[in-house]
Amino acid sequence: PDLGRRFAERKRCADLECSMLMCRGKAMQDFKGPDCRFVNFKKGEAVYVYYKLIGKSTELWAGSVGSDFGYFPKDLLEINHNYSNEELELPTDETDFVCF
């Protein structure tokens, strides 16, 4: 599917910089993203969530697996620890959707 350049206009974060962890979960199945903006993982790996896209694309969250960072479908994650119950709604930035 054509996701366009920006997946969403808004995101939910634990802090203004979206640098604090929101939660951690376990991957329920293997995932290989369609491009470099996505993080790949194997079933059972720990995934750390930094922000959640809202609006157009509510099914994608952003997080890390090891030293890799990217987007993944939230439905593939079983949350097992919340770091913050605080959720700030912020606009997304063009740099949220580039490959590093």
Side-chain angles (χ1 to χ4, degrees), residues 31-82:
F31 174 70
K32 180 148 176 45
D35 64 40
C36 62
R37 295 175 293 180
F38 291 81
V39 66
N40 300 321
F41 49 74
K42 300 255 183 254
K43 181 178 180 173
E45 281 190 299
V47 181
Y48 295 86
V49 179
Y50 287 90
Y51 59 90
K52 304 170 180 180
L53 295 181
I54 53 177
K56 255 187 340 197
S57 186
T58 58
E59 70 280 354
L60 290 178
W61 287 358
S64 65
V65 177
S67 60
D68 297 328
F69 185 88
Y71 292 96
F72 62 91
K74 71 175 186 187
D75 296 345
L76 300 184
L77 197 64
E78 179 184 299
I79 302 297
N80 51 29
H81 186 77
N82 282 308

Side-chain angles (χ1 to χ4, degrees), residues 80-94:
N80 51 29
H81 186 77
N82 282 308
Y83 292 99
S84 171
N85 293 321
E86 184 88 12
E87 288 196 4
L88 306 171
E89 191 172 313
L90 302 164
T92 57
D93 193 288
E94 200 65 34

Side-chain angles (χ1 to χ4, degrees), residues 9-26:
E9 298 298 315
R10 316 238 353 121
K11 60 188 174 181
R12 287 210 169 98
C13 304
D15 64 307
L16 289 171
E17 288 79 39
C18 297
S19 61
M20 283 176 49
L21 281 171
M22 296 182 82
C23 57
R24 177 187 73 224
K26 188 173 78 172

